Amino acid sequence: TLLGGMPYPTYNRYLRTSTANLSNDTLDRISYVLGIYSALHVLIPNKTEANKWVKKPNSRFDGNSALDVMLNGSMQDLYRIRNYLDAVKA
């Protein structure tokens, strides 16, 4: 879902060989996910706590966790989380 419904064989091939042809949409989604991961680990240096944050309810997201928001599947949802974390980092 985070990668826009990439077919499993494509995902698996990419993991094995990094030669799968990825769409711009998928590349953008990967960029957002990596940016979210990076921002979280800058804001919360403890890896365990950073990983927990993604699953915790958050009033900023109407009581949903960041993961719940991201799993809605929209690129806008990934942007929303990334933008929030970047604003908090600034």
Side-chain angles (χ1 to χ4, degrees), residues 1 8 13 21 23 38 43 47 50-52 55-56 58-59 65 67-68 72-74 77 81 83 88 90:
T1 300
Y8 184 74
R13 184 172 52 252
N21 291 326
S23 69
S38 176
L43 290 166
K47 183 177 181 177
N51 291 339
K52 284 181 185 178
K55 297 177 184 175
K56 289 182 181 178
N58 189 318
S59 60
S65 71
L67 183 59
D68 290 335
N72 283 330
S74 164
D77 296 321
I81 303 301
N83 191 49
V88 171

Side-chain angles (χ1 to χ4, degrees), residues 10-66:
T10 303
Y11 174 75
N12 198 24
R13 184 172 52 252
Y14 181 74
L15 289 178
R16 282 193 326 261
T17 65
S18 298
T19 61
N21 291 326
L22 301 179
S23 69
N24 287 337
D25 179 79
T26 300
L27 292 172
D28 288 344
R29 288 170 179 275
I30 290 170
S31 176
Y32 278 122
V33 171
L34 291 175
I36 290 165
Y37 178 87
S38 176
L40 271 175
H41 286 49
V42 167
L43 290 166
I44 308 169
N46 180 297
K47 183 177 181 177
T48 302
E49 292 303 313
N51 291 339
K52 284 181 185 178
W53 182 89
V54 175
K55 297 177 184 175
K56 289 182 181 178
N58 189 318
S59 60
R60 178 71 168 107
F61 311 126
D62 301 320
N64 295 308
S65 71

